[in-house]
């Protein structure tokens, strides 16, 4: 990685330790019928972060939005096979 950095246009500060401060907020919806063996339900996690660097020379703050959505569905009860899918 250091050979690549020497050949590229990265500045010397690119690999130095950086410190950030910020806020984070999120929410979660969980309607699964069981956390261990779910047969029906939805799980939706969403988190937003805003960060600002404490180091000199890094003036631009950044934000990040992350979301995950999962569905669980069984054909009939008692469920032997559960279909699950996840996005995010």
């Amino acid at each position: 990685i250091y050979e690549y950095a020497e050949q590229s246009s990265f500045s010397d500060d690119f690999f130095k330790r950086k410190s950030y401060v910020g806020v984070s907020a999120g929410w979660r919806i969980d309607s699964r019928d069981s956390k261990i063996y779910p047969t029906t339900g939805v799980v939706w996690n969403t988190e937003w972060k805003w960060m600002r660097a404490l180091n000199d020379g890094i003036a631009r703050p950044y934000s990040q939005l992350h979301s995950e959505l999962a569905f669980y569905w069984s054909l009939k009860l008692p469920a032997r096979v559960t279909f699950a899918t996840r996005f995010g």
Side-chain angles (χ1 to χ4, degrees):
I1 195 164
Y2 289 110
E3 291 174 14
Y4 176 77
E6 290 173 2
Q7 296 171 1
S8 68
S9 61
F10 291 123
S11 67
D12 292 336
D13 293 337
F14 186 78
F15 292 104
K16 288 186 179 176
R17 183 179 297 254
K18 298 169 184 72
S19 298
Y20 293 86
V21 65
V23 294
S24 175
W27 57 280
R28 177 181 175 95
I29 296 174
D30 190 349
S31 66
R32 293 176 293 178
D33 58 346
S34 169
K35 296 200 187 305
I36 297 172
Y37 184 68
T39 57
T40 60
V42 174
V43 179
W44 189 1
N45 293 316
T46 300
E47 182 181 22
W48 172 78
K49 293 180 183 180
W50 180 86
M51 305 295 279
R52 182 173 181 94
L54 295 175
N55 303 71
D56 292 335
I58 305 172
R60 296 182 57 175
Y62 74 92
S63 63
Q64 177 183 32
L65 179 65
H66 179 80
S67 188
E68 295 178 351
L69 180 62
F71 296 99
Y72 300 89
W73 179 66
S74 296
L75 293 175
K76 64 180 184 174
L77 294 175
R80 294 183 186 233
V81 175
T82 300
F83 297 101
T85 187
R86 185 175 125 184
F87 304 96

